[in-house]
Amino acid sequence: MKNIAIIGRPNVGKSTLFNRLVGRRKAIVDPIAGVTRDVSIASMYIDGIEFNIFDTGGLLDISDDSLNDKVREKALKTAFENADILLFLVDAHQTHPDDRYFLNVIRKSSKPIILTINKVDSSSHENLISDFYSLGINDIVTISAEHNNGINDLKYKILELLDIEPTQEFMDLLRGKKTKKSKEALEESYYETDEEILEDEATEEEKLINIAIVGKPNAGKSTLLNTLLGKDRSIVSNIAGTTRDSIDEVFNFKGDNICLVDTAGIRKKKNVNTDVEYYSVNRAVKAIEASDVCILMLDVLEGLTDQDKTIASLIVERKKGIVIAANKWDIREEGTTWNDYEAYMKETFPVLNYAFFARVCATRKNDAEKLLSLAVRVAKTRLQKYETHPLTDTMVRLTREYTITAGNTPFKIYYVTQTGVNPPAFAIFCNQPHKLNAHYKRYLENRFREIFDFRGTPIILNFRKRGK
């Protein structure tokens, strides 16, 4: 599959074009320059052909941003090592010396370059493009990514430079002919809504184990992702809040297909000061919702904070599997033992008595893989299915070991059946469900979890009165 990279200075519209080509709002877009830092990757289609497209951070030669060097290095590395074709994006309303400088840099890659002049929103803007001819690029396309102008011309130029013959339906579409075939080609080749792309990806996603790495800023989430992948997928810095958009990577781990998502650090609401931070946190919460299991990264040097509890609560409310990772264990305070620290975590997170707890150093491959293995185990546990007979036998035995009265008669269970997976859910038919107290429900859940090994995931027990 061919790879396309969008590169250029900050705030020229790279993420807007990326979202337009992908057909959904995958990258955060904001008027503030430098929002994108890491590289986002997604699939797009041109004339029924699938491509990978990369959205990169803004290229600046000199900047006050201490992360500028890392952002620039990652963007250029993507251009040189991953891309088959480069879309160098410029702002029609603003020429800048960095455009010429970075064009000369990427020319050394010998990759085909399309100079893509963005923000040509009306015919009156056409006169702005003459200044860009001096950059010496032969293949030039004018577009408005925000208003969807010139996008088909850009797609045609991509096919042309890659020596791919377009179909007649695509050419009809390009010339503005609204034939039935060209309309069908459009529907088959281009995604217009989130619903369409989600429907298309549904089959693939069913085979994936979705794992989100979450936590406060600077807890080591990006470091863990990079260690597991064996490459610098996310930019790592000691500056809190380096990751802004959710970065996902699909790979095979010991025979299982994993979609691993590195999320932005989740801050307290009162500390979310800008739209960028708001959208970053919102994307992280959505990553939790879309996951099967969350790895909650804790910084042992800071100890457990109220914000850690808040993130844990988000995971519990959405009934996701959880593995809690005590990161930076290698530089913990002298004299701290794992038994004491694990007891401290369990006391701090009593609602998560079912979670796995692990001590890790996110830079160590062995630690990272053990942690991921735990998360995969939890994900598979959430998909387990059980027959009614052993479920009923187990629950009846538990009520005999410790029983309560329901009215004037002992509490009695008739049968238990599984009603769902991911998370596991069970219907328990009994004589007096409304008279069960919280203590007894907790006893039954804890023993049921222990016997069927549901560690790491919430389970749902619905007590129901048996009908006639």
Side-chain angles (χ1 to χ4, degrees):
M1 193 155 55
K2 297 293 185 181
N3 298 325
I4 303 167
I6 306 172
I7 58 176
R9 290 185 299 107
N11 216 25
V12 295
K14 296 185 298 300
S15 293
T16 302
L17 177 59
F18 177 77
N19 289 343
R20 176 66 66 185
L21 291 172
V22 172
R24 56 184 170 135
R25 295 179 183 272
K26 181 166 173 59
I28 293 176
V29 176
D30 193 271
I32 298 172
V35 169
T36 302
R37 285 173 173 165
D38 283 296
V39 176
S40 290
I41 308 169
S43 294
M44 61 168 285
Y45 288 80
I46 303 176
D47 201 16
I49 301 169
E50 187 176 7
F51 295 83
N52 285 324
I53 185 159
F54 297 76
D55 178 27
T56 64
L59 297 173
L60 278 176
D61 188 20
I62 300 172
S63 171
D64 295 331
D65 188 344
S66 58
L67 293 173
N68 173 60
D69 292 347
K70 290 186 177 183
V71 173
R72 181 180 63 237
E73 180 185 345
K74 196 164 187 63
L76 291 175
K77 184 177 181 181
T78 300
F80 276 80
E81 297 182 6
N82 301 113
D84 297 298
I85 191 166
L86 303 173
L87 308 184
F88 190 87
L89 203 65
V90 295
D91 183 341
H93 301 264
Q94 183 186 35
T95 57
H96 194 283
D98 279 357
D99 289 331
R100 186 179 298 277
Y101 173 76
F102 285 112
L103 264 175
N104 290 332
V105 171
I106 65 171
R107 274 192 176 103
K108 298 174 185 177
S109 71
S110 301
K111 306 287 177 68
I113 301 171
I114 300 174
L115 179 60
T116 310
I117 305 175
N118 191 28
K119 305 183 184 180
V120 183
D121 302 326
S122 65
S123 56
S124 63
H125 294 158
E126 292 288 344
N127 63 336
L128 299 173
I129 68 174
S130 57
D131 292 340
F132 293 97
Y133 287 111
S134 64
L135 295 175
I137 299 295
N138 294 325
D139 297 296
I140 300 176
V141 176
T142 61
I143 67 166
S144 171
E146 184 175 356
H147 297 104
N148 199 24
N149 295 330
I151 300 300
N152 283 338
D153 294 322
L154 177 60
K155 292 175 178 177
Y156 175 74
K157 180 61 73 173
I158 292 170
L159 295 179
E160 184 181 52
L161 289 182
L162 293 175
D163 292 324
I164 298 172
E165 188 72 26
T167 64
Q168 184 60 49
E169 290 75 25
F170 181 84
M171 294 307 297
D172 288 341
L173 184 68
L174 190 65
R175 297 179 185 122
K177 291 183 180 179
K178 299 296 183 180
T179 65
K180 184 179 179 181
K181 281 191 175 181
S182 69
K183 186 174 182 296
E184 289 173 353
L186 176 69
E187 290 172 350
E188 290 174 2
S189 305
Y190 307 97
Y191 293 118
E192 298 295 333
T193 66
D194 286 353
E195 288 75 16
E196 285 176 342
I197 203 154
L198 289 172
E199 182 179 344
D200 184 74
E201 291 178 348
T203 303
E204 182 63 27
E205 286 184 354
E206 286 172 4
K207 303 174 185 176
L208 293 176
I209 296 174
N210 295 292
I211 299 173
I213 308 171
V214 299
K216 292 183 309 183
N218 213 26
K221 300 181 295 297
S222 296
T223 301
L224 177 66
L225 177 72
N226 291 344
T227 301
L228 286 168
L229 297 177
K231 60 181 181 180
D232 292 334
R233 178 65 181 88
S234 290
I235 292 176
V236 174
S237 166
N238 58 7
I239 299 173
T242 299
T243 302
R244 286 173 168 168
D245 222 333
S246 294
I247 304 298
D248 55 274
E249 189 80 11
V250 176
F251 64 105
N252 189 278
F253 177 71
K254 298 181 179 179
D256 293 304
N257 292 322
I258 310 292
C259 179
L260 196 60
V261 182
D262 173 24
T263 65
I266 301 177
R267 303 173 183 265
K268 292 181 179 179
K269 284 186 179 180
K270 67 179 181 180
N271 294 331
V272 177
N273 300 318
T274 66
D275 286 345
V276 174
E277 284 191 282
Y278 168 78
Y279 286 119
S280 295
V281 171
N282 192 43
R283 291 284 175 90
V285 173
K286 285 187 175 180
I288 292 174
E289 291 173 347
S291 70
D292 300 307
V293 180
C294 295
I295 297 175
L296 174 55
M297 300 290 287
L298 305 178
D299 186 336
V300 297
L301 300 180
E302 289 189 13
L304 306 184
T305 66
D306 289 340
Q307 188 59 10
D308 293 320
K309 295 178 185 177
T310 299
I311 299 169
S313 297
L314 289 173
I315 299 169
V316 171
E317 287 167 7
R318 287 153 178 79
K319 301 192 182 304
K320 303 299 180 179
I322 186 168
V323 177
I324 298 178
N327 189 29
K328 307 180 185 178
W329 185 253
D330 54 318
I331 53 174
R332 67 192 181 278
E333 187 178 332
E334 189 175 351
T336 304
T337 67
W338 176 243
N339 285 340
D340 289 342
Y341 199 82
E342 187 176 18
Y344 161 59
M345 287 191 291
K346 287 180 178 179
E347 183 180 341
T348 306
F349 294 127
V351 72
L352 289 174
N353 61 347
Y354 58 81
F356 276 109
F357 294 87
R359 49 186 166 177
V360 299
C361 170
T363 58
R364 293 177 182 168
K365 185 81 169 177
N366 191 46
D367 283 8
E369 290 190 346
K370 283 182 178 179
L371 184 61
L372 186 58
S373 294
L374 278 178
V376 171
R377 173 182 168 178
V378 173
K380 291 181 176 180
T381 296
R382 288 167 62 83
L383 296 173
Q384 287 279 12
K385 295 180 180 178
Y386 295 90
E387 297 293 332
T388 296
H389 182 70
L391 294 173
T392 303
D393 278 358
T394 299
M395 194 62 82
V396 168
R397 177 159 50 86
L398 294 179
T399 60
R400 287 173 180 164
E401 290 175 0
Y402 169 38
T403 189
I404 60 171
T405 57
N408 296 322
T409 59
F411 175 71
K412 185 176 182 181
I413 286 176
Y414 299 111
Y415 69 96
V416 182
T417 186
Q418 188 166 1
T419 56
V421 295
N422 206 18
F426 305 89
I428 303 167
F429 293 88
C430 53
N431 58 347
Q432 299 281 359
H434 59 285
K435 293 191 176 181
L436 281 175
N437 58 50
H439 172 77
Y440 195 64
K441 282 184 179 179
R442 192 160 51 249
Y443 155 74
L444 291 175
E445 179 180 333
N446 290 342
R447 292 287 286 122
F448 192 75
R449 178 191 301 285
E450 179 185 339
I451 292 168
F452 289 100
D453 194 19
F454 284 120
R455 192 173 175 191
T457 180
I459 58 175
I460 301 170
L461 302 181
N462 290 317
F463 292 87
R464 303 178 184 175
K465 186 172 178 64
R466 187 176 69 171
K468 294 181 181 179

